[in-house]
């Protein structure tokens, strides 16, 4: 199988979101089971991938705790409302140990956060060595919502792309592997999902009347997303666009991207600093 990352990576300056069908399913393996029941196939795959992720995560954690590895992973998720960020977080976090996962959601900055530059709160939320971080929204909101709503003047947000690239290059040099995923849904799929939220009392908490105002700005957001992913897809930290109208594909794709990143890092259990045989002999002889 070719690397899914190759298929979904944003080619800087060349990726048009309008040219990516949110219902498409690039990179699926040639597997008869997909055609008969794609959802069942995806559940099984995601479960198997989850076992690999859990094994990788444990080695990543051990290598930092007992060794001197600084490796860590950060999955960044961005999407329009109802794009499936929460579902993707649940999917990839499921198999891993909660102790080694740092999942963080970013909302409108607090008063304290607003007194600092836009990357301040991001710095503070980065996963420590050996951990897997998941960002539900991120510093990219500062070139998305901040741009669309002109929360800051154009000369401020337009400089942020370079600032983000410099920031992410520094992190990459410090052994942080960042996987940036835009979950790409269609406007009609969003309408369906917003309606489903309104029709289900247990989902009302996820809805906000402001969501409709954001939806009205759909085209502005698509332009802002397109610029963001094109200008900030670098060798230090690539953007991947995951077609996300089909949840079963989205879950498989995000889990697969994460697994591929882990495979590159290939974390190993650290070498122990004690003599295992001697320790064992002492323990056996002990009362
Ligand atoms: P939700 O993810 O649905 O809980 O909504 C979070 C809200 O926070 C979204 O409307 C985002 O646009 C908003 N948000 C996140 N980051 C920022 C930011 N840096 N500046 C302004 N609004 C933000
Ligand atoms: Mg929301």
């Amino acid at each position: 199988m070719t690397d899914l990352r190759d298929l979904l990576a944003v080619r800087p300056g060349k990726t048009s979101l309008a040219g990516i069908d949110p219902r498409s399913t690039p990179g699926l393996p040639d597997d008869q089971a997909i055609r008969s029941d794609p959802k069942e196939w995806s559940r099984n795959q995601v479960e198997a991938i989850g076992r690999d992720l859990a094994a990788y995560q444990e080695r990543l954690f051990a290598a930092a705790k007992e060794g001197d590895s600084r490796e860590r992973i950060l999955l960044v998720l961005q999407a329009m409302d109802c794009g499936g960020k929460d579902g993707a977080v649940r999917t990839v976090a499921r198999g891993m140990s909660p102790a080694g996962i740092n999942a963080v959601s970013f909302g409108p900055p607090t008063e304290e956060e607003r007194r600092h530059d836009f990357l301040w709160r991001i710095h503070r939320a980065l996963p420590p060595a050996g951990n897997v971080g998941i960002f539900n929204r991120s510093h990219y909101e500062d070139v998305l919502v901040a741009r669309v709503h002109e929360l800051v003047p154009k000369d401020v947000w337009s400089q942020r792309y370079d600032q983000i690239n410099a920031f992410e290059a520094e992190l990459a040099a410090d052994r942080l592997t960042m996987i940036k995923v835009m979950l790409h849904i269609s406007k009609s799929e969003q309408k369906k999902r917003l309606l489903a939220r309104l029709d289900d009392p247990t989902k009302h908490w996820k809805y906000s009347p402001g969501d409709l105002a954001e939806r009205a700005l759909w085209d502005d957001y698509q332009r802002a997303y397109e610029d963001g992913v094109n200008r900030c897809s670098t060798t230090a930290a690539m953007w991947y666009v995951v077609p996300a109208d089909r949840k079963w594909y989205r879950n498989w794709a995000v889990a697969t991207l994460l697994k591929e990143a882990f495979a590159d890092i290939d974390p190993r259990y650290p070498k122990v600093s004690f003599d295992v045989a001697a320790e064992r002999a002492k323990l056996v002889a002990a009362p």
Side-chain angles (χ1 to χ4, degrees):
M1 198 182 99
T2 52
D3 200 314
L4 189 63
R5 288 176 299 180
D6 288 340
L7 278 177
L8 301 183
V10 171
R11 315 285 165 207
K14 294 206 178 71
T15 293
S16 141
L17 290 177
I20 301 174
D21 181 357
R23 292 186 64 76
S24 62
T25 57
L28 289 178
D30 185 21
D31 187 337
Q32 186 57 42
I34 300 176
R35 284 182 286 278
S36 52
D37 190 344
K39 290 178 186 170
E40 172 73 6
W41 173 85
S42 172
R43 266 193 300 276
N44 292 334
Q45 287 289 310
V46 164
E47 213 180 289
I49 296 168
R51 284 192 290 274
D52 293 336
L53 292 178
Y56 278 133
Q57 183 207 12
E58 184 175 273
R59 294 203 291 270
L60 189 77
F61 193 79
K65 186 156 186 295
E66 291 304 324
D68 51 10
S69 163
R70 289 200 44 74
E71 299 284 356
R72 50 244 164 90
I73 285 197
L74 177 59
L75 175 66
V76 171
L77 294 167
Q78 283 288 161
M80 298 293 287
D81 281 318
C82 297
K85 300 186 298 298
D86 294 329
V89 173
R90 268 196 304 278
T91 297
V92 298
R94 196 170 288 138
M96 293 193 268
S97 162
I101 296 195
N102 302 52
V104 186
S105 298
F106 291 98
T110 62
E111 205 177 303
E112 185 188 25
E113 286 167 352
R114 275 201 303 272
R115 273 187 262 119
H116 297 83
D117 80 280
F118 75 105
L119 293 172
W120 182 75
R121 64 176 184 166
I122 306 300
H123 266 288
R124 292 158 54 101
L126 293 172
N131 281 53
V132 177
I134 305 176
F135 280 2
N136 184 332
R137 304 187 190 269
S138 66
H139 43 306
Y140 283 90
E141 290 294 328
D142 293 284
V143 288
L144 294 166
V145 65
R147 164 174 162 169
V148 170
H149 285 280
E150 298 179 64
L151 302 180
V152 292
K154 179 171 184 185
D155 65 310
V156 172
W157 62 252
S158 60
Q159 287 181 43
R160 287 179 173 167
Y161 301 99
D162 290 343
Q163 290 164 356
I164 288 173
N165 287 340
F167 168 66
E168 293 181 354
E170 236 173 76
L171 293 177
D174 194 24
R175 315 308 300 165
L176 186 145
T177 301
M178 206 186 289
I179 306 127
K180 300 181 290 187
V181 174
M182 177 196 177
L183 302 173
H184 179 47
I185 58 162
S186 63
K187 198 174 178 187
S188 58
E189 180 67 18
Q190 189 198 48
K191 185 171 190 173
K192 239 168 69 185
R193 293 185 190 179
L194 282 172
L195 275 172
R197 281 186 184 176
L198 287 172
D199 291 342
D200 177 354
T202 71
K203 296 272 172 65
H204 287 171
W205 65 277
K206 284 190 159 203
Y207 185 87
S208 134
D211 292 350
L212 287 188
E214 297 307 289
R215 176 175 167 77
L217 298 167
W218 186 273
D219 292 344
D220 292 345
Y221 270 107
Q222 293 298 303
R223 263 192 296 278
Y225 265 103
E226 192 165 284
D227 275 355
V229 299
N230 275 296
R231 296 183 62 174
C232 297
S233 200
T234 63
T235 49
M238 297 293 284
W239 266 107
Y240 303 95
V241 176
V242 169
D245 272 13
R246 300 177 200 265
K247 294 176 182 174
W248 64 265
Y249 173 79
R250 171 200 78 201
N251 290 341
W252 172 80
V254 176
T256 299
L257 290 171
L258 193 55
K259 183 180 159 177
E260 290 174 351
F262 258 127
D264 272 3
I265 297 174
D266 191 21
R268 300 292 172 94
Y269 285 114
K271 286 203 175 58
V272 290
S273 53
F274 52 86
D275 180 339
V276 178
E279 290 300 307
R280 190 173 192 287
K282 277 192 278 183
L283 179 59
V284 168

